Amino acid sequence: MPQASSPIGVFDSGVGGLSVLRALLAAMPHERFVYLADSAHAPYGERGDAYVAARTHAITQYLCEQHGIKALVVACNTATAAAIHEVRSSHPTLPLVGLEPAIKPALAVTKTGHVGVIGTRGTLTSAKFSKLMASLNEQAHFVVQPCDGLAHAIERSVALPVAAPGSPVDATETGALCARYVQAMGSFGTAPGQMDTLVLGCTHYIFVAHELRALVGPGVQFIETGEPVARQTRRLLEAAGLLHVPAETRPDKPPAPSPGTTPAVQLLTTGPVAMLEAAAQRWLNLPTSCCQSVQVP
Ligand code: DGL
């Protein structure tokens, strides 16, 4: 039976969900986390619902059985679209948080009423996304762009050296893909008729935010889901009485750093561990000792 001291499970097709883990760590520094990158089976975005649902099911089982998780964050828009309903019915007592492209928050931000949405083909062609769009479509003009290959290119780019500041965006594989998709979407900016808001509907894309920024210009707002997801996870844990509350500091003693304030994070991957190690160091400043390779058949 999971307890408040049990870890929170987080998973993605690969390293993209580390952007969500970063927000979770900031919101709940006293919690333990087990993150699983299913890199051996990434990308999910172009594989079809049945495959993604089967992987989501296998990983949920693994995290529950092997790690006794107290909650699960599906840090992947594609897996959420394909399988969150099934996970909810197969694990009815597990607090569960999924991700979907943040088009509702984008409505609150856009001034021109023109919003761009990028994500994987799996997410953007899903029934779940169509339903979401149908409920909002009248309120803004949306340009929806599936970005085939971009998440996979981001995975591969982790092992490469960081591009020098000022180097041309399209000199890298990720940069060339960003340029292709941004150009296909139309005009970005703050003038009437231009898209002034871009929804990052895939957790990988925050890691190419600087390339996207160089292409769309400084006035365009990026909307992603890490922080709202962290707040929602915290709310669910509180409601379930499963939030880990560190032992109180004695009032006669000044607060001092204690081991309980150091986040305990395990990063697991079904793919090459070197890639996860590089991502953990580059994006979360976490040591390679957190990373381990596992098999989830
Ligand atoms: N990071 C994932 C998402 O948010 C999926 C990327 C992929 O594997 O295609 O959709």
Short mmCIF file of all heavy atoms in Angstrom, two decimals, residues 58-120:
data_model
loop_
_atom_site.label_atom_id
_atom_site.label_comp_id
_atom_site.label_asym_id
_atom_site.label_seq_id
_atom_site.Cartn_x
_atom_site.Cartn_y
_atom_site.Cartn_z
N ALA A 58 2.26 -1.22 -19.70
CA ALA A 58 3.41 -1.98 -19.17
C ALA A 58 4.21 -1.13 -18.17
O ALA A 58 4.63 -1.61 -17.11
CB ALA A 58 4.31 -2.43 -20.32
N ILE A 59 4.39 0.14 -18.49
CA ILE A 59 5.20 1.01 -17.62
C ILE A 59 4.46 1.33 -16.32
O ILE A 59 5.06 1.34 -15.24
CB ILE A 59 5.59 2.30 -18.40
CG1 ILE A 59 6.61 1.93 -19.48
CG2 ILE A 59 6.17 3.35 -17.46
CD1 ILE A 59 6.81 2.98 -20.53
N THR A 60 3.16 1.53 -16.41
CA THR A 60 2.37 1.79 -15.19
C THR A 60 2.49 0.59 -14.25
O THR A 60 2.73 0.74 -13.05
CB THR A 60 0.90 2.08 -15.55
OG1 THR A 60 0.86 3.12 -16.51
CG2 THR A 60 0.11 2.48 -14.32
N GLN A 61 2.33 -0.62 -14.82
CA GLN A 61 2.44 -1.84 -14.01
C GLN A 61 3.81 -1.92 -13.35
O GLN A 61 3.95 -2.20 -12.17
CB GLN A 61 2.28 -3.09 -14.89
CG GLN A 61 0.88 -3.40 -15.27
CD GLN A 61 0.00 -3.65 -14.05
OE1 GLN A 61 -0.85 -2.82 -13.75
NE2 GLN A 61 0.21 -4.75 -13.33
N TYR A 62 4.85 -1.67 -14.16
CA TYR A 62 6.23 -1.75 -13.67
C TYR A 62 6.45 -0.76 -12.51
O TYR A 62 7.00 -1.13 -11.47
CB TYR A 62 7.20 -1.47 -14.83
CG TYR A 62 8.61 -1.24 -14.39
CD1 TYR A 62 9.47 -2.32 -14.14
CD2 TYR A 62 9.09 0.05 -14.18
CE1 TYR A 62 10.76 -2.11 -13.69
CE2 TYR A 62 10.38 0.27 -13.73
CZ TYR A 62 11.21 -0.81 -13.50
OH TYR A 62 12.49 -0.59 -13.04
N LEU A 63 6.00 0.48 -12.69
CA LEU A 63 6.25 1.48 -11.65
C LEU A 63 5.46 1.17 -10.38
O LEU A 63 5.95 1.39 -9.27
CB LEU A 63 5.90 2.89 -12.17
CG LEU A 63 6.87 3.45 -13.23
CD1 LEU A 63 6.32 4.75 -13.83
CD2 LEU A 63 8.26 3.70 -12.64
N CYS A 64 4.26 0.62 -10.54
CA CYS A 64 3.47 0.26 -9.35
C CYS A 64 4.10 -0.95 -8.66
O CYS A 64 4.29 -0.94 -7.43
CB CYS A 64 2.03 -0.07 -9.75
SG CYS A 64 1.07 1.38 -10.21
N GLU A 65 4.44 -1.98 -9.42
CA GLU A 65 4.89 -3.23 -8.80
C GLU A 65 6.33 -3.13 -8.30
O GLU A 65 6.66 -3.60 -7.22
CB GLU A 65 4.77 -4.39 -9.80
CG GLU A 65 3.31 -4.81 -9.97
CD GLU A 65 3.08 -5.70 -11.17
OE1 GLU A 65 4.07 -6.19 -11.77
OE2 GLU A 65 1.90 -5.91 -11.52
N GLN A 66 7.22 -2.55 -9.09
CA GLN A 66 8.64 -2.54 -8.71
C GLN A 66 9.02 -1.35 -7.83
O GLN A 66 10.03 -1.39 -7.14
CB GLN A 66 9.55 -2.51 -9.96
CG GLN A 66 9.31 -3.62 -10.95
CD GLN A 66 9.65 -4.97 -10.34
OE1 GLN A 66 10.64 -5.14 -9.65
NE2 GLN A 66 8.79 -5.95 -10.60
N HIS A 67 8.26 -0.27 -7.89
CA HIS A 67 8.66 0.93 -7.14
C HIS A 67 7.60 1.42 -6.16
O HIS A 67 7.83 2.40 -5.45
CB HIS A 67 9.05 2.05 -8.12
CG HIS A 67 10.28 1.72 -8.90
ND1 HIS A 67 11.56 1.98 -8.45
CD2 HIS A 67 10.44 1.07 -10.08
CE1 HIS A 67 12.44 1.53 -9.33
NE2 HIS A 67 11.79 0.98 -10.32
N GLY A 68 6.45 0.77 -6.13
CA GLY A 68 5.40 1.12 -5.17
C GLY A 68 5.02 2.59 -5.23
O GLY A 68 4.85 3.23 -4.19
N ILE A 69 4.86 3.12 -6.44
CA ILE A 69 4.59 4.57 -6.56
C ILE A 69 3.24 4.92 -5.92
O ILE A 69 2.31 4.13 -5.92
CB ILE A 69 4.62 5.05 -8.03
CG1 ILE A 69 3.65 4.24 -8.91
CG2 ILE A 69 6.03 5.00 -8.57
CD1 ILE A 69 3.43 4.84 -10.28
N LYS A 70 3.16 6.15 -5.41
CA LYS A 70 1.91 6.61 -4.76
C LYS A 70 1.06 7.44 -5.72
O LYS A 70 -0.11 7.73 -5.41
CB LYS A 70 2.22 7.41 -3.51
CG LYS A 70 2.98 8.72 -3.76
CD LYS A 70 3.22 9.47 -2.47
CE LYS A 70 4.00 10.75 -2.70
NZ LYS A 70 4.26 11.49 -1.45
N ALA A 71 1.65 7.86 -6.84
CA ALA A 71 0.92 8.64 -7.86
C ALA A 71 1.70 8.52 -9.16
O ALA A 71 2.90 8.21 -9.14
CB ALA A 71 0.84 10.11 -7.45
N LEU A 72 1.01 8.77 -10.27
CA LEU A 72 1.69 8.69 -11.57
C LEU A 72 1.42 9.95 -12.38
O LEU A 72 0.28 10.37 -12.53
CB LEU A 72 1.19 7.47 -12.36
CG LEU A 72 1.78 7.30 -13.77
CD1 LEU A 72 3.29 7.02 -13.71
CD2 LEU A 72 1.08 6.18 -14.54
N VAL A 73 2.52 10.53 -12.89
CA VAL A 73 2.40 11.65 -13.82
C VAL A 73 2.79 11.14 -15.20
O VAL A 73 3.93 10.73 -15.41
CB VAL A 73 3.32 12.83 -13.41
CG1 VAL A 73 3.19 13.97 -14.42
CG2 VAL A 73 2.96 13.32 -12.00
N VAL A 74 1.84 11.11 -16.11
CA VAL A 74 2.13 10.70 -17.50
C VAL A 74 2.64 11.96 -18.19
O VAL A 74 1.85 12.77 -18.69
CB VAL A 74 0.88 10.12 -18.18
CG1 VAL A 74 1.19 9.69 -19.61
CG2 VAL A 74 0.32 8.95 -17.38
N ALA A 75 3.97 12.12 -18.19
CA ALA A 75 4.58 13.38 -18.66
C ALA A 75 4.75 13.35 -20.18
O ALA A 75 5.80 13.72 -20.72
CB ALA A 75 5.92 13.60 -17.96
N CYS A 76 3.71 12.91 -20.85
CA CYS A 76 3.76 12.70 -22.29
C CYS A 76 2.36 12.95 -22.85
O CYS A 76 1.41 12.24 -22.48
CB CYS A 76 4.19 11.26 -22.56
SG CYS A 76 4.20 10.80 -24.30
N ASN A 77 2.24 13.94 -23.71
CA ASN A 77 0.94 14.25 -24.30
C ASN A 77 0.43 13.09 -25.15
O ASN A 77 -0.77 12.80 -25.17
CB ASN A 77 1.05 15.50 -25.19
CG ASN A 77 1.40 16.75 -24.41
OD1 ASN A 77 0.52 17.51 -24.04
ND2 ASN A 77 2.67 16.98 -24.14
N THR A 78 1.36 12.43 -25.85
CA THR A 78 0.96 11.36 -26.77
C THR A 78 0.40 10.17 -26.00
O THR A 78 -0.64 9.61 -26.37
CB THR A 78 2.19 10.92 -27.61
OG1 THR A 78 2.84 12.08 -28.12
CG2 THR A 78 1.79 10.03 -28.75
N ALA A 79 1.06 9.78 -24.91
CA ALA A 79 0.59 8.65 -24.10
C ALA A 79 -0.72 9.01 -23.40
O ALA A 79 -1.61 8.18 -23.26
CB ALA A 79 1.65 8.26 -23.08
N THR A 80 -0.84 10.26 -22.97
CA THR A 80 -2.08 10.69 -22.33
C THR A 80 -3.25 10.57 -23.31
O THR A 80 -4.29 10.02 -22.98
CB THR A 80 -1.98 12.16 -21.85
OG1 THR A 80 -0.89 12.25 -20.93
CG2 THR A 80 -3.24 12.63 -21.17
N ALA A 81 -3.02 11.06 -24.54
CA ALA A 81 -4.11 11.01 -25.54
C ALA A 81 -4.49 9.57 -25.86
O ALA A 81 -5.66 9.26 -26.03
CB ALA A 81 -3.67 11.74 -26.81
N ALA A 82 -3.49 8.69 -25.91
CA ALA A 82 -3.77 7.31 -26.35
C ALA A 82 -4.31 6.43 -25.22
O ALA A 82 -5.04 5.48 -25.50
CB ALA A 82 -2.51 6.68 -26.93
N ALA A 83 -3.94 6.73 -23.96
CA ALA A 83 -4.16 5.69 -22.95
C ALA A 83 -4.60 6.15 -21.56
O ALA A 83 -4.79 5.30 -20.71
CB ALA A 83 -2.87 4.88 -22.81
N ILE A 84 -4.79 7.44 -21.33
CA ILE A 84 -5.06 7.85 -19.94
C ILE A 84 -6.37 7.23 -19.42
O ILE A 84 -6.46 6.85 -18.25
CB ILE A 84 -5.06 9.39 -19.79
CG1 ILE A 84 -4.94 9.81 -18.32
CG2 ILE A 84 -6.31 10.03 -20.37
CD1 ILE A 84 -3.58 10.03 -17.85
N HIS A 85 -7.36 7.07 -20.31
CA HIS A 85 -8.64 6.51 -19.85
C HIS A 85 -8.46 5.07 -19.38
O HIS A 85 -8.98 4.69 -18.33
CB HIS A 85 -9.69 6.56 -20.96
CG HIS A 85 -10.09 7.96 -21.32
ND1 HIS A 85 -10.48 8.87 -20.37
CD2 HIS A 85 -10.13 8.61 -22.51
CE1 HIS A 85 -10.76 10.02 -20.95
NE2 HIS A 85 -10.54 9.89 -22.25
N GLU A 86 -7.67 4.30 -20.14
CA GLU A 86 -7.45 2.90 -19.76
C GLU A 86 -6.69 2.83 -18.44
O GLU A 86 -7.00 2.01 -17.58
CB GLU A 86 -6.63 2.15 -20.83
CG GLU A 86 -7.39 1.81 -22.09
CD GLU A 86 -7.34 2.93 -23.13
OE1 GLU A 86 -7.14 4.11 -22.75
OE2 GLU A 86 -7.52 2.63 -24.32
N VAL A 87 -5.69 3.68 -18.27
CA VAL A 87 -4.91 3.64 -17.02
C VAL A 87 -5.83 3.99 -15.84
O VAL A 87 -5.77 3.36 -14.79
CB VAL A 87 -3.70 4.61 -17.07
CG1 VAL A 87 -2.95 4.63 -15.74
CG2 VAL A 87 -2.76 4.24 -18.20
N ARG A 88 -6.69 4.97 -16.06
CA ARG A 88 -7.62 5.37 -15.00
C ARG A 88 -8.53 4.20 -14.61
O ARG A 88 -8.78 3.96 -13.45
CB ARG A 88 -8.48 6.55 -15.46
CG ARG A 88 -8.42 7.72 -14.52
CD ARG A 88 -9.28 8.88 -14.99
NE ARG A 88 -8.52 9.95 -15.61
CZ ARG A 88 -7.67 10.74 -14.99
NH1 ARG A 88 -7.43 10.58 -13.71
NH2 ARG A 88 -7.02 11.69 -15.64
N SER A 89 -9.00 3.46 -15.60
CA SER A 89 -9.90 2.36 -15.20
C SER A 89 -9.14 1.15 -14.68
O SER A 89 -9.65 0.43 -13.82
CB SER A 89 -10.90 1.98 -16.29
OG SER A 89 -10.31 2.02 -17.52
N SER A 90 -7.88 0.92 -15.15
CA SER A 90 -7.17 -0.25 -14.61
C SER A 90 -6.53 0.03 -13.25
O SER A 90 -6.19 -0.89 -12.52
CB SER A 90 -6.12 -0.76 -15.61
OG SER A 90 -5.21 0.26 -15.90
N HIS A 91 -6.33 1.32 -12.90
CA HIS A 91 -5.73 1.68 -11.60
C HIS A 91 -6.60 2.74 -10.92
O HIS A 91 -6.16 3.88 -10.74
CB HIS A 91 -4.30 2.20 -11.80
CG HIS A 91 -3.38 1.17 -12.35
ND1 HIS A 91 -3.36 0.81 -13.67
CD2 HIS A 91 -2.44 0.40 -11.75
CE1 HIS A 91 -2.46 -0.14 -13.86
NE2 HIS A 91 -1.89 -0.41 -12.73
N PRO A 92 -7.82 2.36 -10.53
CA PRO A 92 -8.77 3.39 -10.07
C PRO A 92 -8.35 4.13 -8.81
O PRO A 92 -8.80 5.25 -8.59
CB PRO A 92 -10.07 2.60 -9.84
CG PRO A 92 -9.68 1.18 -9.80
CD PRO A 92 -8.40 1.01 -10.52
N THR A 93 -7.47 3.54 -8.00
CA THR A 93 -7.11 4.23 -6.75
C THR A 93 -5.80 5.02 -6.87
O THR A 93 -5.39 5.68 -5.93
CB THR A 93 -6.95 3.22 -5.59
OG1 THR A 93 -5.94 2.29 -5.96
CG2 THR A 93 -8.26 2.50 -5.29
N LEU A 94 -5.14 4.93 -8.04
CA LEU A 94 -3.85 5.61 -8.20
C LEU A 94 -4.07 7.07 -8.62
O LEU A 94 -4.65 7.33 -9.68
CB LEU A 94 -3.04 4.89 -9.29
CG LEU A 94 -1.64 5.41 -9.60
CD1 LEU A 94 -0.69 5.12 -8.43
CD2 LEU A 94 -1.10 4.77 -10.89
N PRO A 95 -3.62 8.05 -7.80
CA PRO A 95 -3.72 9.44 -8.27
C PRO A 95 -2.93 9.58 -9.58
O PRO A 95 -1.76 9.19 -9.68
CB PRO A 95 -3.07 10.24 -7.14
CG PRO A 95 -3.21 9.36 -5.92
CD PRO A 95 -3.05 7.95 -6.45
N LEU A 96 -3.60 10.12 -10.59
CA LEU A 96 -3.06 10.10 -11.96
C LEU A 96 -3.17 11.48 -12.58
O LEU A 96 -4.24 12.09 -12.55
CB LEU A 96 -3.92 9.10 -12.74
CG LEU A 96 -3.54 8.74 -14.15
CD1 LEU A 96 -2.17 8.07 -14.19
CD2 LEU A 96 -4.59 7.77 -14.72
N VAL A 97 -2.08 11.95 -13.17
CA VAL A 97 -2.10 13.25 -13.86
C VAL A 97 -1.58 13.04 -15.27
O VAL A 97 -0.51 12.47 -15.46
CB VAL A 97 -1.22 14.29 -13.13
CG1 VAL A 97 -1.28 15.64 -13.84
CG2 VAL A 97 -1.66 14.47 -11.68
N GLY A 98 -2.35 13.49 -16.25
CA GLY A 98 -1.91 13.41 -17.64
C GLY A 98 -1.66 14.81 -18.19
O GLY A 98 -1.91 15.81 -17.51
N LEU A 99 -1.16 14.85 -19.42
CA LEU A 99 -0.88 16.15 -20.05
C LEU A 99 -1.65 16.29 -21.34
O LEU A 99 -1.79 15.31 -22.08
CB LEU A 99 0.61 16.23 -20.41
CG LEU A 99 1.53 16.91 -19.40
CD1 LEU A 99 1.70 16.01 -18.19
CD2 LEU A 99 2.87 17.18 -20.05
N GLU A 100 -2.13 17.50 -21.60
CA GLU A 100 -2.67 17.76 -22.93
C GLU A 100 -2.23 19.15 -23.35
O GLU A 100 -1.91 19.99 -22.49
CB GLU A 100 -4.20 17.63 -22.95
CG GLU A 100 -4.92 18.61 -22.09
CD GLU A 100 -6.43 18.38 -22.06
OE1 GLU A 100 -6.91 17.36 -22.57
OE2 GLU A 100 -7.12 19.25 -21.52
N PRO A 101 -2.16 19.40 -24.67
CA PRO A 101 -1.70 20.72 -25.11
C PRO A 101 -2.53 21.82 -24.45
O PRO A 101 -3.76 21.74 -24.42
CB PRO A 101 -1.92 20.67 -26.62
CG PRO A 101 -1.85 19.21 -26.97
CD PRO A 101 -2.45 18.50 -25.79
N ALA A 102 -1.83 22.82 -23.91
CA ALA A 102 -2.48 23.83 -23.05
C ALA A 102 -3.18 24.89 -23.89
O ALA A 102 -2.84 26.08 -23.84
CB ALA A 102 -1.45 24.45 -22.12
N ILE A 103 -4.20 24.46 -24.65
CA ILE A 103 -4.84 25.46 -25.51
C ILE A 103 -5.82 26.35 -24.74
O ILE A 103 -6.03 27.48 -25.13
CB ILE A 103 -5.45 24.87 -26.81
CG1 ILE A 103 -6.50 23.84 -26.52
CG2 ILE A 103 -4.38 24.27 -27.68
CD1 ILE A 103 -7.17 23.34 -27.80
N LYS A 104 -6.37 25.83 -23.65
CA LYS A 104 -7.26 26.69 -22.84
C LYS A 104 -6.46 27.85 -22.23
O LYS A 104 -6.85 29.01 -22.38
CB LYS A 104 -7.93 25.89 -21.74
CG LYS A 104 -9.17 25.17 -22.20
CD LYS A 104 -9.89 24.56 -20.99
CE LYS A 104 -10.69 23.36 -21.47
NZ LYS A 104 -11.10 22.48 -20.40
N PRO A 105 -5.32 27.58 -21.55
CA PRO A 105 -4.52 28.70 -21.04
C PRO A 105 -4.07 29.66 -22.14
O PRO A 105 -3.95 30.86 -21.92
CB PRO A 105 -3.31 28.01 -20.39
CG PRO A 105 -3.79 26.63 -20.07
CD PRO A 105 -4.82 26.28 -21.10
N ALA A 106 -3.86 29.14 -23.36
CA ALA A 106 -3.42 30.01 -24.46
C ALA A 106 -4.49 31.05 -24.78
O ALA A 106 -4.18 32.19 -25.14
CB ALA A 106 -3.09 29.18 -25.69
N LEU A 107 -5.76 30.67 -24.62
CA LEU A 107 -6.85 31.60 -24.91
C LEU A 107 -6.82 32.80 -23.98
O LEU A 107 -7.17 33.91 -24.35
CB LEU A 107 -8.20 30.90 -24.74
CG LEU A 107 -8.61 29.92 -25.83
CD1 LEU A 107 -9.92 29.27 -25.46
CD2 LEU A 107 -8.70 30.64 -27.16
N ALA A 108 -6.36 32.55 -22.74
CA ALA A 108 -6.31 33.63 -21.76
C ALA A 108 -5.16 34.60 -22.05
O ALA A 108 -5.12 35.71 -21.53
CB ALA A 108 -6.16 33.03 -20.36
N VAL A 109 -4.22 34.17 -22.88
CA VAL A 109 -3.00 34.94 -23.10
C VAL A 109 -3.01 35.69 -24.44
O VAL A 109 -2.53 36.81 -24.55
CB VAL A 109 -1.79 33.96 -23.03
CG1 VAL A 109 -0.55 34.56 -23.64
CG2 VAL A 109 -1.53 33.53 -21.60
N THR A 110 -3.61 35.06 -25.46
CA THR A 110 -3.51 35.66 -26.80
C THR A 110 -4.27 36.99 -26.89
O THR A 110 -5.38 37.12 -26.36
CB THR A 110 -4.04 34.68 -27.89
OG1 THR A 110 -3.93 35.32 -29.16
CG2 THR A 110 -5.48 34.25 -27.64
N LYS A 111 -3.64 37.93 -27.56
CA LYS A 111 -4.31 39.22 -27.79
C LYS A 111 -4.79 39.30 -29.23
O LYS A 111 -5.77 39.96 -29.54
CB LYS A 111 -3.34 40.36 -27.49
CG LYS A 111 -2.99 40.46 -26.01
CD LYS A 111 -2.45 41.83 -25.64
CE LYS A 111 -2.31 42.04 -24.14
NZ LYS A 111 -1.45 41.03 -23.49
N THR A 112 -4.05 38.64 -30.13
CA THR A 112 -4.46 38.69 -31.55
C THR A 112 -5.55 37.67 -31.85
O THR A 112 -6.18 37.73 -32.90
CB THR A 112 -3.25 38.38 -32.47
OG1 THR A 112 -2.81 37.04 -32.20
CG2 THR A 112 -2.11 39.35 -32.26
N GLY A 113 -5.74 36.69 -30.93
CA GLY A 113 -6.73 35.64 -31.18
C GLY A 113 -6.24 34.60 -32.17
O GLY A 113 -7.02 33.79 -32.66
N HIS A 114 -4.94 34.62 -32.46
CA HIS A 114 -4.35 33.61 -33.36
C HIS A 114 -3.31 32.82 -32.57
O HIS A 114 -2.35 33.40 -32.04
CB HIS A 114 -3.71 34.27 -34.58
CG HIS A 114 -4.73 34.84 -35.53
ND1 HIS A 114 -4.98 34.30 -36.77
CD2 HIS A 114 -5.59 35.89 -35.39
CE1 HIS A 114 -5.95 35.00 -37.37
NE2 HIS A 114 -6.32 35.98 -36.54
N VAL A 115 -3.53 31.50 -32.49
CA VAL A 115 -2.70 30.65 -31.62
C VAL A 115 -2.12 29.51 -32.43
O VAL A 115 -2.86 28.81 -33.16
CB VAL A 115 -3.57 30.10 -30.47
CG1 VAL A 115 -2.80 29.11 -29.62
CG2 VAL A 115 -4.12 31.23 -29.60
N GLY A 116 -0.83 29.27 -32.31
CA GLY A 116 -0.20 28.11 -32.94
C GLY A 116 -0.10 26.96 -31.94
O GLY A 116 0.10 27.20 -30.74
N VAL A 117 -0.26 25.74 -32.42
CA VAL A 117 -0.15 24.57 -31.54
C VAL A 117 0.77 23.56 -32.23
O VAL A 117 0.50 23.16 -33.36
CB VAL A 117 -1.53 23.89 -31.32
CG1 VAL A 117 -1.41 22.75 -30.31
CG2 VAL A 117 -2.58 24.90 -30.86
N ILE A 118 1.85 23.18 -31.54
CA ILE A 118 2.71 22.14 -32.10
C ILE A 118 2.71 20.93 -31.16
O ILE A 118 2.57 21.07 -29.94
CB ILE A 118 4.16 22.64 -32.35
CG1 ILE A 118 4.77 23.30 -31.11
CG2 ILE A 118 4.20 23.60 -33.53
CD1 ILE A 118 6.24 23.71 -31.29
N GLY A 119 2.83 19.76 -31.75
CA GLY A 119 2.80 18.53 -30.95
C GLY A 119 3.11 17.36 -31.85
O GLY A 119 3.43 17.54 -33.04
N THR A 120 2.98 16.15 -31.32
CA THR A 120 3.23 14.98 -32.17
C THR A 120 1.96 14.69 -32.98
O THR A 120 0.85 15.11 -32.61
CB THR A 120 3.57 13.73 -31.34
OG1 THR A 120 2.41 13.33 -30.60
CG2 THR A 120 4.73 13.98 -30.40
#
